């Protein structure tokens, strides 16, 4: 039997962008949107147009140039939001208005101060209005997993009747358990008349580390769209991680018979780009795209790996776009590639050390075409021996950086005041973020 096709709804640029330290400007969002397009996601939620001029401009810009995927814009369930979203989206090849309204008693009582009846009418009216503007309308009952079940079923039925084409079930606060979330999706499918005409979607947060497990449970129960983000960024503990959802299906089709159109080799580049744009690093042991996801340090593991990689690898680094040992280091290589190669050569560096090597690497890479392992080992040895290579004159740095970045790519500079969390101190001691940055060039290097 042909595996069921899952729609990948990427909300890196909306839910992800809302998370602390992850805000992006319009050119950054546009650059990320191009990568999401290359990655093959089905839907890009580009922003929340009424939230700010910047968000509006980003959604509009993405809608104008990214033509393959559906471009979604978020709106609260009210006329100004919906009209603003439509204004930003109307030039899209495939626009979608995503309307949301909280439905749990706790949100109705304390946040919205409306009754269930008012909530029901507002949801229905909002979907009708959105539908009058756009064929593709998604509705999300915010905090669905803490909503009274009977009321949730009423709301879902009302929005389906009003013309919603996708009904998204958000576990807004990351409260649900996998079996429970699967049952909820199942119940909605069984009890809402007309639900078979619409796509059921899952939107899970990771407060208990269960966002991906909950999303997979939803898919097993009949959801056919998953909302997720690159690197799992998002409000609080984040959203379901796109790369994990995609690779679960790729690695275990025997237990999880679903397919996506995602080009898995673009996962690592997407992860890297997001980290570079936001300046927020990926945790080293992060599944699929973390620095250590394919690193084998224990002797017995290395021995097994050399005999046959299948002994300890359930997927190849190549399949998710991680450069392998044939990687050529040149002036287009970034810090991560350099770091990866150093690790392959058996060296693990703290940030400061790596920065020093990187700084000299970009100068060298500008002079010679390919930096071979022996060049790199020499750089490493010099750093280790404490025989510091004279610091690159400041005047030369922009040139070296431009060379490293490649002339055709625009690497926006991070603001000087980018807050560096205390845990980034190599010594583990809290650091003064400003003391970390002596010059703009220095700051730039941290983000490459
Ligand atoms: Zn969310």
């Amino acid at each position: 039997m042909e595996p069921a096709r899952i729609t990948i709804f990427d909300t890196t640029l909306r839910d992800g962008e809302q998370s602390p330290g992850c805000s992006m400007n319009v050119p950054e969002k546009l650059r990320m949107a191009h990568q999401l397009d290359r990655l093959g996601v089905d839907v890009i939620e580009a922003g929340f147009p009424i939230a700010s001029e910047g968000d509006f401009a980003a959604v509009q810009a993405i809608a104008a140039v990214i033509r393959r995927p559906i471009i979604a814009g978020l709106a609260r369930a009210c006329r100004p939001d919906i009209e603003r979203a439509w204004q930003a989206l109307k030039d899209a090849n495939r626009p979608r208005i995503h309307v949301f309204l909280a439905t749990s008693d706790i949100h109705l009582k304390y946040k919205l101060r409306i009754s269930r009846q008012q909530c029901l009418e507002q949801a229905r009216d909002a979907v009708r209005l959105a539908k009058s503007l756009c064929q593709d309308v998604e509705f999300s009952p915010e905090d669905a997993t803490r909503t009274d079940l009977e009321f949730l079923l009423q709301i879902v039925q009302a929005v389906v009747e009003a013309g919603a084409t996708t009904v998204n079930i958000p576990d807004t606060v990351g409260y649900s358990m996998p079996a429970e979330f699967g049952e909820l999706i199942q119940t909605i499918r069984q009890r809402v008349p007309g639900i078979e005409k619409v796509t059921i979607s899952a939107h899970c947060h990771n407060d208990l580390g269960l966002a991906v497990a909950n999303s997979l449970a939803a898919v097993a129960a009949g959801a056919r769209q998953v909302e997720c983000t690159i690197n799992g960024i998002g409000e609080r503990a984040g959203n379901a991680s796109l790369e994990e959802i995609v690779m679960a299906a790729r690695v275990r089709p025997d237990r999880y018979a679903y397919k996506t159109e995602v080009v898995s080799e673009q996962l690592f580049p997407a992860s890297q780009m997001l980290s570079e744009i936001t300046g927020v690093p990926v945790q080293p042991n992060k599944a699929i795209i973390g620095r250590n996801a394919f690193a084998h340090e224990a002797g017995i593991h290395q021995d097994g790996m050399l005999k046959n990689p299948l002994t300890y690898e359930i997927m190849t680094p190549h399949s998710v776009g991680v450069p392998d040992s044939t990687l050529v280091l040149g002036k287009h290589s970034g810090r991560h590639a350099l770091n990866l190669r150093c690790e392959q050569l058996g060296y693990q560096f703290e940030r400061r050390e790596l920065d020093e090597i990187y700084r000299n690497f970009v100068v060298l890479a500008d002079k010679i075409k390919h930096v071979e392992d022996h060049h790199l080992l020499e750089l490493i040895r010099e750093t280790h021996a404490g025989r510091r290579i004279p610091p690159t004159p400041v005047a030369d740095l922009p040139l070296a950086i431009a060379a490293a970045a490649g002339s055709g790519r625009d690497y926006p500079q991070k603001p000087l005041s980018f807050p560096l969390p205390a845990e980034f101190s190599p010594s583990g001691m809290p650091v003064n973020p400003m003391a970390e940055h002596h010059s703009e060039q220095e700051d730039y290097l941290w983000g490459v």
Side-chain angles (χ1 to χ4, degrees):
M1 204 178 78
E2 182 72 359
R5 169 80 158 80
I6 303 300
T7 296
I8 294 290
F9 178 113
D10 180 278
T11 185
T12 304
L13 300 176
R14 201 279 299 166
D15 208 327
E17 202 251 355
Q18 281 173 224
S19 57
C22 288
S23 61
M24 294 174 236
N25 61 30
V26 177
E28 288 169 337
K29 279 189 158 191
L30 197 55
R31 195 169 142 229
M32 198 65 219
H34 278 289
Q35 178 59 24
L36 293 170
D37 188 14
R38 279 190 287 276
L39 182 62
V41 306
D42 300 290
V43 186
I44 294 175
E45 185 163 55
F48 190 177
I50 204 159
S52 70
E53 289 300 323
D55 247 33
F56 181 88
V59 175
Q60 200 173 37
I62 291 167
V65 300
I66 308 285
R67 308 305 284 174
R68 182 196 54 82
I70 293 169
I71 307 299
L74 189 69
R76 287 170 298 187
C78 59
R79 181 175 286 274
D81 278 46
I82 293 166
E83 286 178 345
R84 190 78 175 139
W86 179 241
Q87 251 189 310
L89 288 166
K90 62 184 191 318
D91 292 332
N93 190 29
R94 301 167 70 197
R96 173 181 294 185
I97 300 177
H98 179 189
V99 179
F100 76 99
L101 181 63
T103 50
S104 65
D105 285 337
I106 194 163
H107 278 239
L108 294 188
K109 188 171 170 196
Y110 296 103
K111 190 177 86 174
L112 301 174
R113 298 198 172 93
I114 56 173
S115 68
R116 284 188 183 178
Q117 188 56 35
Q118 286 170 310
C119 173
L120 190 74
E121 283 163 16
Q122 193 179 332
R124 186 169 45 213
D125 292 349
V127 170
R128 277 189 189 142
L129 172 62
K131 190 75 178 181
S132 73
L133 301 167
C134 182
Q135 268 309 301
D136 189 344
V137 176
E138 174 167 328
F139 179 80
S140 291
E142 187 189 358
D143 204 17
T145 49
R146 292 192 305 169
T147 298
D148 174 76
L149 178 63
E150 296 305 319
F151 182 57
L152 181 65
L153 296 174
Q154 278 180 39
I155 287 271
V156 171
Q157 185 174 345
V159 298
V160 169
E161 284 168 3
T165 41
T166 298
V167 174
N168 179 46
I169 304 300
D171 185 23
T172 305
V173 291
Y175 177 71
S176 206
M177 292 286 144
E180 180 188 24
F181 196 60
E183 276 167 32
L184 177 62
I185 301 294
Q186 184 91 43
T187 306
I188 291 169
R189 284 183 70 205
Q190 284 167 347
R191 293 193 42 202
V192 176
I195 194 76
E196 66 285 350
K197 293 181 299 198
V198 311
T199 301
I200 301 177
S201 167
H203 177 111
C204 299
H205 277 271
N206 208 30
D207 298 70
L208 291 172
L210 293 170
V212 169
N214 285 339
S215 304
L216 299 187
V219 169
R224 288 294 173 264
Q225 174 177 286
V226 174
E227 303 199 353
C228 44
T229 59
I230 302 296
N231 297 345
I233 67 167
E235 291 272 14
R236 305 181 313 281
N239 286 69
S241 158
L242 182 147
E243 50 279 357
E244 295 175 28
I245 302 275
V246 167
M247 291 314 288
R250 208 59 59 91
V251 173
R252 294 302 304 274
D254 55 327
R255 300 294 295 187
Y256 186 68
Y258 311 102
K259 64 171 186 179
T260 70
E261 292 300 312
V262 168
V263 180
S264 62
E265 290 80 4
Q266 290 293 333
L267 288 170
F268 185 71
S271 162
Q272 287 288 100
M273 184 185 287
L274 180 64
S275 261
E276 181 224 311
I277 288 174
T278 59
V280 176
V282 176
Q283 73 188 67
N285 61 324
K286 167 79 177 63
I288 318 293
I289 40 77
R291 192 178 69 216
N292 292 348
F294 295 96
H296 302 271
E297 194 172 331
I300 190 165
H301 287 214
Q302 285 184 344
D303 183 53
M305 282 295 294
L306 290 171
K307 287 170 178 156
N308 185 343
L310 289 175
T311 50
Y312 287 101
E313 269 179 13
I314 58 167
M315 60 196 135
T316 63
H318 177 75
S319 69
V320 299
V322 172
D324 58 23
S325 54
T326 59
L327 167 78
V328 177
L329 285 178
K331 64 178 187 177
H332 298 284
S333 304
R335 284 175 89 254
H336 192 100
L338 177 70
N339 192 27
L340 201 72
R341 194 71 198 112
C342 288
E343 286 186 351
Q344 285 167 342
L345 293 170
Y347 293 89
Q348 282 204 320
F349 294 112
E350 306 207 272
R351 280 182 62 131
R352 282 284 177 202
E353 289 175 302
L354 184 66
D355 273 344
E356 190 169 351
I357 294 166
Y358 184 69
R359 212 171 286 131
N360 291 299
F361 164 78
V362 291
V363 174
L364 182 66
D366 203 27
K367 291 186 192 137
I368 58 175
K369 210 169 179 181
H370 298 313
V371 178
E372 306 284 350
D373 287 352
H374 65 92
H375 296 126
L376 196 51
L377 286 166
E378 188 143 337
L379 285 179
I380 292 168
R381 258 197 305 277
E382 291 197 31
T383 309
H384 267 197
R387 285 187 287 115
R388 304 275 169 187
I389 301 158
T392 309
V394 170
D396 287 348
L397 266 170
L399 198 67
I401 293 160
S407 52
R409 296 152 76 186
D410 68 307
Y411 281 68
Q413 292 212 338
K414 301 311 296 176
L416 258 178
S417 59
F418 171 69
L420 204 66
E423 65 264 31
F424 292 155
S425 157
S427 63
M429 296 292 287
V431 293
N432 171 5
M434 293 313 290
E436 283 282 295
H437 301 290
H438 307 296
S439 69
E440 218 161 312
Q441 282 77 21
E442 176 100 358
D443 189 62
Y444 181 88
L445 278 172
W446 288 89
V448 174

